[in-house]
Amino acid sequence: MKWITRFAPFLRRCAMGWVFSLSIAAASEAPRELVFLTWSDYIDPAVVAAFETHRGVRVKQVYFESDDDRDEILAENGPRGYDVILADGISVSNYARQGWLARIRDGDVPNRRHIEPRWRDAFPLTAEHGVPYFWGTIGIAYRRDLVPTPFSSWRQLFEPDEALRGKIVMIKHARDVIGMALKSLGHSQNSADPTAIAAAGELIRKQQPFVKAYSYVAITQESALVSGEIWAAMVFNGDAIMLREHNPNIAFVVPEEGSNLGVDYLTVSATTEAPDLAYAFIDFVTEPQNAAKIAEFVHYATPNTAARAHLSAEYFADPIIFPDAATLERCEFFTDLPAAASRQRNAVFQSVTQRVQKP
């Protein structure tokens, strides 16, 4: 047994080497991970699974509950920890100015060539830092079997019938709520006039007793709008279609005063450690057939012109997805506001929403 004693150090070094080699092998076999910051239920799981198989990676989705929530998440550590970030047009502009987003060139995402220029260039810096994902509107989803009168205007939501007391949910976002209050008063949603903003603030203060919560209404079978606990809610048009699938008594309208025309973009974090995966993921979901599958899943309008050949006639015939030209004419994009106007809006909104507890 002396030979074992003599060669023990050598054997220990070999064993350590084998363990180290096995550790490296195990690490190399672990799939790479792409972290995607996004809304929940905003991509077809089958397309995500196909990308994971295609690239041999894992996609981890991290969800935010509102645009403000996403802002707060990123304000803590910037975009660190995320590879792909979904954001609305105004936020893309703001994030790019803060250096949080990487540039996206045509060679990075070849399928971007299928995107209609109108949506690519809708906001400052989006052409350089984002790939349009979907566009849509905000409107009113309501239970037509419960409300006294069908909705046709924002004014009906902000000055509701007494029967709707405690039966309304409003989006928890100052820009959307103040913006639509302004439109109901005959102003642009982008008005920076202090008097107009104050009048909009007074309107939502009067509405406050009728509001059950300031949040995003659930779009599942358990939604309060499906059960009838809530009779009306400010929602995005694609969400209204998902709600309608759970209860055919749920109707949706883009009010006669018009609405916001929003665009969501896929962006790449400036701090990503996997830029190749981030660009590849965006290119994969922008591939026409994949973009069409996602569009049918989320019920929003795709800005991808080549995807249209793969979409059903029912998709294009749905007026909730594609409002008519007259309705779109009354809609507008949000624009950057002067700092004073933004502060005034936020102060007004916070003074109202902090009095309402989320159910």
Side-chain angles (χ1 to χ4, degrees):
M1 301 292 289
K2 289 183 179 180
W3 67 272
I4 294 179
T5 303
R6 178 179 297 180
F7 288 101
F10 171 74
L11 292 173
R12 282 196 297 270
R13 286 195 297 272
C14 289
M16 292 175 63
W18 293 332
V19 171
F20 183 67
S21 298
L22 288 171
S23 298
I24 293 176
S28 65
E29 291 173 4
R32 298 173 68 195
E33 184 176 77
L34 177 91
V35 182
F36 181 24
L37 182 63
T38 183
W39 295 101
S40 63
D41 300 310
Y42 204 31
I43 190 168
D44 186 344
V47 174
V48 174
F51 176 76
E52 291 177 321
T53 300
H54 175 65
R55 296 286 301 202
V57 301
R58 175 176 176 264
V59 176
K60 177 183 177 182
Q61 297 188 58
V62 178
Y63 305 122
F64 51 80
E65 296 183 355
S66 68
D67 291 324
D68 286 340
D69 182 36
R70 184 191 56 238
D71 290 346
E72 291 173 7
I73 290 171
L74 295 177
E76 290 184 9
N77 296 299
R80 190 171 294 104
Y82 304 103
D83 301 300
V84 176
I85 300 168
L86 185 131
D88 62 282
I90 288 293
S91 295
V92 172
S93 301
N94 294 336
Y95 297 167
R97 293 187 187 106
Q98 294 182 68
W100 289 354
L101 304 179
R103 279 185 170 271
I104 299 178
R105 299 172 177 82
D106 290 339
D108 298 323
V109 182
N111 280 314
R112 188 164 68 164
R113 68 184 184 276
H114 301 304
I115 300 298
E116 190 175 348
R118 176 190 184 186
W119 309 112
R120 184 194 63 208
D121 304 326
F123 301 88
L125 303 178
T126 52
E128 295 85 4
H129 295 89
V131 175
Y133 187 54
F134 286 107
W135 65 269
T137 58
I138 293 176
I140 304 168
Y142 63 94
R143 286 288 299 268
R144 57 185 162 197
D145 58 328
L146 298 177
V147 300
T149 306
F151 282 90
S152 61
S153 72
W154 284 118
R155 203 62 180 258
Q156 287 174 271
L157 190 67
F158 286 106
E159 295 181 323
D161 187 281
E162 180 61 32
L164 276 87
R165 186 173 291 270
K167 300 291 186 180
I168 294 173
V169 168
M170 299 293 288
I171 288 175
K172 191 177 181 181
H173 195 260
R175 190 171 62 207
D176 292 322
V177 174
I178 298 291
M180 296 312 105
L182 283 164
K183 291 191 80 69
S184 77
L185 294 172
H187 304 289
S188 165
Q189 65 187 25
N190 297 304
S191 175
D193 180 2
T195 302
I197 295 172
E202 185 60 27
L203 191 62
I204 67 171
R205 285 192 186 93
K206 290 180 179 179
Q207 181 206 33
Q208 187 266 333
F210 295 84
V211 177
K212 177 75 171 179
Y214 290 91
S215 67
Y216 286 85
V217 66
I219 57 177
T220 63
Q221 181 67 46
E222 291 72 34
S223 173
L225 197 58
V226 173
S227 69
E229 179 184 352
I230 293 299
W231 292 5
M234 186 181 188
V235 303
F236 298 110
N237 59 323
D239 292 350
I241 295 175
M242 299 187 80
L243 285 163
R244 184 182 62 185
E245 291 180 348
H246 297 304
N247 189 324
N249 285 310
I250 294 175
F252 176 82
V253 63
V254 175
E256 60 192 15
E257 300 97 333
S259 182
N260 171 53
L261 191 58
V263 187
D264 281 332
Y265 295 82
L266 295 168
T267 70
V268 175
S269 165
T271 60
T272 178
E273 296 182 0
D276 59 321
L277 286 185
Y279 292 125
F281 177 75
I282 295 175
D283 194 56
F284 191 82
V285 300
T286 310
E287 192 279 324
Q289 287 184 306
N290 290 332
K293 290 177 183 176
I294 300 170
E296 294 273 12
F297 180 83
V298 303
H299 307 295
Y300 281 93
T302 178
N304 192 315
T305 56
R308 296 171 186 169
H310 305 284
L311 287 160
S312 66
E314 291 78 12
Y315 173 83
F316 289 106
D318 195 324
I320 297 181
I321 299 176
F322 292 98
D324 60 35
T327 299
L328 289 177
E329 187 67 27
R330 297 191 294 272
C331 297
E332 55 185 323
F333 293 118
F334 277 121
T335 60
D336 284 325
L337 294 171
S342 293
R343 286 194 298 270
Q344 183 185 8
R345 289 181 181 221
N346 290 335
V348 167
F349 190 66
Q350 289 174 10
S351 70
V352 175
T353 57
Q354 66 186 5
R355 303 175 194 170
V356 179
Q357 298 298 317
K358 185 174 179 179

